[in-house]
Amino acid sequence: MWSFIKNREPNIHMNRLFEPFLSYRHFRTRAVDRQNTSSTGLYGFDHLKSPKGFQRFVDEAIERLSELIDYISGMPSSVEIIRAMDEISDTVCSVVDSAELCRQTHPARGFVEEANKASMKINVYLHFLNTNHTLYNAVKKAEQDGHLLTEEARRAALHLRIDFEKGGIHLPSGKLDRVNQLNMDAHKLCREYGENIINDPGYVDIFPASRIPRQIQHLLKPIYRLTSGVSKESLGSYEDEQEEGFRIMTEPRTLFSVLQLTPDEQVRKMAYLKGNSVPHANHEVLDKLINSRHELAQIMGCKSYAEFVMQLNMASSPEVVVSFLLEMSNMVKEKADEEFNTIRNLKRDVCGQRCVDLEPWDEAYYTTMMKSSAYSLDSAVVASYFSLPQCIEGLKLLVKSLFGARFDSVPMAPGESWHPDVLKMCIHHPEEGDLGFLYLDLFSRKGKYPGCATFAIKGGRKISETEYQLPVMALVFNFSRSHDSSIVRLNHGELETLFHEFGHALHALLSRTDYQHFAGTRVALDFAETPSNLFEYYARDYRVLKKFARHYSTGEVIPEKLVKSLNGARDMFAATELQRQIFYSLVDQTLFGEQLSVPRDTNSIVAHLKRQHSNEKHVEGTHMHIRFSHFLTYGAGYYSYLYAKCFAATIWKKLCQEDPLSPTTGTLLRTKLLQYGGAKEPADLLTDLVGDGIVRYHNGGIVPDVTSCLEEMKLLDDKNRHIGK
């Protein structure tokens, strides 16, 4: 299986083994050799010492794939068939993953261009793999003959067969050709959608500069315009003067800061309208993608793309998901309405009677004002306790306390890194040795992937009875360096994001599966975000924070009162945020659900659902769905975030809350959850970890128990309590 995880502002996408084009990973690399000091290439691959090395990298991978296909065609034992199939996946992923990470992060255009070529070439070869009946028949033989002795091997055979069939291999040639074309079209459309977001982020120019609050000016580009003025030296003559302003690039991260912290309503409005109306080209791209995915699903005998992609998910069907979402929407509505009225009343108090309603560009500003007022929060004071070096110490603390291992920086060989800022870390256990490697690419720079994401480089797998291929991952962030400080300091939300992504990384680095097909985050999509959501709790617990969060200049430990205020502020509008996530999930389900005989345009769908499941007004001319990349990378799977939120709340309450840094807690997390990756059914892993009650069986599918999540947000009253069970 090939997987690629992204998160948080856009957050994670993952895809399965023989679904064409989708997924990413690595094999055989010297990156696991921490003693190596000789010159190497990117990520430890000798071929990648120069951009042209990608060409040879692909060619050698295809040579090895041909050898493996020849071997499987001889119909060896079932065990060897599955083992060889896993190496095929691993070999393909070695190219796709390295190319994807390079495309998204490398500052040299030559490397990016060659990575693009490598990606396209290996994707062409995937058509051959996905339609290879020799491989398909071998997998069916392995699944049926009863000689696979382990649960993981039998599960691998089942998943491989299903992945082949999801690619249409069992269809007549004409339909198979069409499936291949549709998959190729979808891949191109997804890439085009993402490139449009990067190339057309939108901007607004604001004059004078004083309209922009000082604390976010470092995020913006200074600009100047000429104005005419009267010269004092020569009365009656005119000369040009420069007026300073700022250009707001309305990419999501900057846009949120502007909406949150700018007092000038007109500035907020202009930024909101522009940020939610670009890139225009994605209207057509998204429409084409919806049509391609729907046609694919129908060829495969499904009513919708949502039904097609849920075959191996816990939910099992769109009906189960939509029922769950509507149930949650009803449970949260009353509290969300109360919160909306509170925010609107504050705006009226501040602005007077001339303000009649709360606009979409107002919510972030006034909620931030209320949180700061209620809990006396100063963003600069908060950030002073979260210097980036100390936050990295927090990651080391988790690894040491929970798993008895070290998380230390290790040297890189010449040529291994793609930028001077990149760090390489190793998780090392005193008894087990090195467990895996993690690259950290932390700072924003031009041309880099704009969000926060976890990239797989190499998945763990058992090579022999004595050799295990260690996992290698990369965490990519875009933390900003302030112009007036050499020390990067995070806000609390950024700390949560760091811990969230580290949860993904730990899932991969600590898994010990026989097959890379199931390594780490290669799990059912609606389970994948569970560990990452769980580790967000560690960024909010004072018992954890007091061990690493210290003032960057005085060394003072973060005050417990400040942590309580942060958590109190975070929870103030929990219902509104939950309602927003439900809305996004319903849009996702509707876009890729059953299509009406008379299709509605996507703008109408979004507007209709916003009116039903959100208090936020829909503004004509805004189109959030043309820049919400989760609708592509998840595609009827965005509900997974809500599943994970509920699962993580239950795990935290039942297992971690009493003593979050206990080695006993860490051992349970590792041995009952993280080490299995996708090698066991998610519901079995969850139940084995915390006992009965974490999942509910509903209409042939599985949904989370919502009790712990809603109790935590103080949304569970007697009226709703029976629904949560």
Side-chain angles (χ1 to χ4, degrees), residues 104-107 218-220 249 251-254 388 418-422 440-453 475-483 488-490 494:
Q104 300 288 358
T105 63
H106 206 292
H218 69 283
L219 298 175
L220 312 180
M249 304 303 296
E251 51 82 24
R253 182 171 174 270
T254 301
L388 187 54
W418 57 97
H419 191 275
D421 288 339
V422 174
L440 298 179
D441 187 352
L442 300 171
F443 304 112
S444 176
R445 60 180 178 270
K446 186 177 179 180
K448 180 182 173 183
Y449 172 77
C452 303
L475 294 188
V476 175
F477 296 90
N478 278 276
F479 299 135
S480 296
R481 290 184 168 102
S482 176
H483 298 313
V488 174
R489 299 190 287 273
L490 309 185
E494 288 173 324

Side-chain angles (χ1 to χ4, degrees), residues 42-329:
L42 284 177
Y43 328 125
F45 288 103
D46 282 334
H47 287 316
L48 302 185
K49 293 178 180 177
S50 69
K52 292 297 183 184
F54 268 107
Q55 183 175 341
R56 185 59 189 157
F57 194 42
V58 177
D59 291 342
E60 283 202 1
I62 290 175
E63 288 175 14
R64 179 56 181 159
L65 292 168
S66 297
E67 293 172 359
L68 290 166
I69 293 169
D70 288 343
Y71 175 69
I72 292 173
S73 67
M75 287 296 172
S77 70
S78 296
V79 171
E80 290 305 315
I81 288 172
I82 300 305
R83 183 69 61 192
M85 287 295 301
D86 196 59
E87 188 178 342
I88 286 177
S89 178
D90 190 60
T91 303
V92 169
C93 290
S94 71
V95 177
V96 180
D97 281 342
S98 58
E100 185 64 17
L101 181 58
C102 182
R103 286 181 61 249
Q104 300 288 358
T105 63
H106 206 292
R109 191 65 204 167
F111 267 102
V112 173
E113 290 173 353
E114 291 299 320
N116 269 320
K117 293 177 184 177
S119 179
M120 287 187 285
K121 187 169 184 177
I122 197 67
N123 282 331
V124 170
Y125 192 81
L126 288 182
H127 282 301
F128 169 68
L129 292 177
N130 289 322
T131 58
N132 190 304
H133 282 82
T134 296
L135 299 180
Y136 176 55
N137 291 332
V139 167
K140 287 199 298 183
K141 168 187 175 295
E143 182 186 14
Q144 295 167 2
D145 69 11
H147 294 158
L148 297 174
L149 301 180
T150 68
E151 177 187 352
E152 184 176 349
R154 293 189 291 271
R155 186 171 169 82
L158 170 66
H159 280 235
L160 284 166
R161 175 182 57 80
I162 292 175
D163 288 340
F164 266 119
E165 292 173 356
K166 288 179 75 174
I169 196 169
H170 59 299
L171 298 174
S173 59
K175 288 187 176 181
L176 177 56
D177 289 342
R178 183 58 181 160
V179 167
N180 285 334
Q181 183 61 52
L182 289 168
N183 277 314
M184 184 183 298
D185 292 345
H187 174 70
K188 292 178 179 177
L189 290 166
C190 288
R191 178 168 290 187
E192 184 179 351
Y193 184 99
E195 290 173 349
N196 287 341
I197 292 173
I198 294 172
N199 295 332
D200 183 17
Y203 69 87
V204 293
D205 291 341
I206 303 298
F207 292 95
S210 59
R211 298 178 74 185
I212 301 296
R214 183 170 296 278
Q215 66 262 47
I216 63 170
Q217 289 182 2
H218 69 283
L219 298 175
L220 312 180
K221 178 183 177 181
I223 55 174
Y224 302 88
R225 68 180 177 184
L226 296 177
T227 60
S228 295
V230 179
S231 170
K232 292 181 179 179
E233 289 76 18
S234 178
L235 189 62
S237 67
Y238 293 85
E239 64 179 13
D240 289 331
E241 295 179 351
Q242 280 195 331
E243 181 182 28
E244 184 180 11
F246 285 101
R247 173 163 293 180
I248 301 172
M249 304 303 296
T250 56
E251 51 82 24
R253 182 171 174 270
T254 301
L255 176 61
F256 180 73
S257 295
V258 170
L259 294 177
Q260 190 179 37
L261 298 171
T262 304
D264 191 319
E265 181 173 353
Q266 286 304 309
V267 172
R268 297 198 309 269
K269 179 178 179 179
M270 287 188 287
Y272 176 89
L273 294 177
K274 175 59 70 173
N276 285 277
S277 62
V278 293
H280 299 288
N282 275 350
H283 284 289
E284 183 178 1
V285 173
L286 184 58
D287 286 343
K288 288 180 178 178
L289 181 65
I290 290 170
N291 291 335
S292 292
R293 285 178 167 176
H294 183 64
E295 183 182 348
L296 169 66
Q298 290 195 309
I299 292 174
M300 300 300 295
C302 298
K303 292 182 292 186
S304 68
Y305 184 74
E307 179 182 297
F308 173 67
V309 298
M310 286 188 199
Q311 295 175 36
L312 292 174
N313 286 2
M314 285 189 285
S316 79
S317 76
E319 291 76 18
V320 169
V321 172
V322 171
S323 174
F324 169 75
L325 294 174
L326 293 178
E327 178 181 270
M328 290 201 77
S329 183

Side-chain angles (χ1 to χ4, degrees), residues 11 56 87 297 318 358 365 379 407 426 443 514 576 583 610:
N11 305 345
R56 185 59 189 157
E87 188 178 342
L358 189 73
Y365 178 71
S379 59
F407 181 58
C426 174
F443 304 112
D514 287 349
T576 298
F583 161 64
K610 182 175 282 191

Side-chain angles (χ1 to χ4, degrees), residues 302-357:
C302 298
K303 292 182 292 186
S304 68
Y305 184 74
E307 179 182 297
F308 173 67
V309 298
M310 286 188 199
Q311 295 175 36
L312 292 174
N313 286 2
M314 285 189 285
S316 79
S317 76
E319 291 76 18
V320 169
V321 172
V322 171
S323 174
F324 169 75
L325 294 174
L326 293 178
E327 178 181 270
M328 290 201 77
S329 183
N330 289 332
M331 294 173 73
V332 78
K333 186 180 188 310
E334 183 176 341
K335 182 64 174 178
D337 289 346
E338 291 178 11
E339 293 177 357
F340 177 82
N341 290 332
T342 300
I343 303 167
R344 181 178 58 189
N345 290 339
L346 173 64
K347 181 186 178 183
R348 290 176 175 175
D349 290 342
V350 171
C351 300
Q353 292 304 313
R354 62 189 175 86
C355 299
V356 296
D357 212 345

Side-chain angles (χ1 to χ4, degrees), residues 377-450:
L377 289 174
D378 182 316
S379 59
V381 172
V382 172
S384 68
Y385 290 97
F386 297 131
S387 69
L388 187 54
Q390 286 302 120
C391 294
I392 301 300
E393 289 299 314
L395 303 183
K396 294 180 180 181
L397 167 72
L398 293 183
V399 172
K400 177 65 175 177
S401 300
L402 289 172
F403 310 116
R406 297 199 316 268
F407 181 58
D408 294 329
S409 178
V410 294
M412 281 183 279
E416 185 178 348
S417 177
W418 57 97
H419 191 275
D421 288 339
V422 174
L423 301 174
K424 180 182 176 184
M425 311 290 288
C426 174
I427 293 186
H428 178 86
H429 193 278
E431 297 173 3
E432 302 171 49
D434 293 344
L435 300 180
F437 295 86
L438 181 66
Y439 295 103
L440 298 179
D441 187 352
L442 300 171
F443 304 112
S444 176
R445 60 180 178 270
K446 186 177 179 180
K448 180 182 173 183
Y449 172 77

